[in-house]
């Protein structure tokens, strides 16, 4: 049997960590998956804002092309979400910070908005 060296020990530890990380991501994604393979619906108040998410009815139109047929709303205003190829989600508000679920995308957007209202996509910005 070969002698245990520091290099082999570190290699084995890295392999175990990678395997554990892969399982954790798979379990997290499976937990947030609904009956038909899509994310589960949610409706909650987060930091004083009502966030909801559900399968999009009809699935047509620009707003649902990248969101895999899923719609997210903050205080009744649609938050444009997109699903990445790796299964993570981003929103128009937190575009460069991928998260594992649409619920996490809604929560991240609420944090980023810091109390400001969400302006619907395609609407002009209010003048200050």
């Amino acid at each position: 049997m070969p002698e245990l060296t520091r290099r082999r020990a570190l290699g084995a530890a890295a392999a175990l960590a990678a395997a554990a990380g892969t399982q954790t991501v798979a379990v997290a994604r499976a937990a947030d998956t609904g009956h038909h393979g899509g994310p589960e619906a949610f409706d909650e108040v987060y930091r004083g804002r009502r966030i909801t998410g559900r399968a999009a009815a009809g699935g047509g139109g620009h707003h649902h092309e990248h969101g895999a047929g899923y719609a997210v709303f903050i205080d009744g205003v649609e938050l444009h979400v997109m699903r990445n190829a790796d299964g993570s989600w981003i929103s128009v508000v937190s575009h460069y910070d991928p998260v594992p679920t649409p619920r996490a995308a809604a929560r991240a957007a609420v944090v980023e908005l810091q109390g400001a209202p969400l302006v619907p996509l395609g609407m002009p910005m209010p003048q200050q």
Side-chain angles (χ1 to χ4, degrees):
M1 189 161 143
E3 183 179 325
L4 183 61
T5 64
R6 183 176 177 188
R7 177 176 280 177
R8 286 187 182 156
L10 289 174
L16 286 172
T22 302
Q23 283 183 331
T24 301
V25 170
V27 169
R29 286 188 183 145
D32 199 49
T33 300
H35 300 293
H36 301 290
E40 288 184 4
F42 63 90
D43 184 351
E44 68 182 39
V45 175
Y46 180 74
R47 294 191 177 193
R49 310 287 291 269
R50 176 163 241 60
I51 60 172
T52 58
R54 65 183 184 290
H62 174 73
H63 295 288
H64 305 294
E65 289 174 5
H66 302 293
Y70 199 83
V72 174
F73 299 87
I74 298 176
D75 296 332
V77 178
E78 185 173 10
L79 171 68
H80 183 71
V81 295
M82 295 178 288
R83 188 166 200 172
N84 293 321
D86 67 356
S88 64
W89 291 79
I90 56 174
S91 77
V92 70
V93 175
S94 58
H95 198 81
Y96 298 105
D97 189 19
V99 293
T101 65
R103 180 190 309 246
R107 289 176 174 174
V110 166
V111 170
E112 187 69 27
L113 287 168
Q114 299 179 13
L118 178 63
V119 177
L121 195 61
M123 297 288 294
M125 294 283 291
Q127 298 296 319
Q128 293 184 0

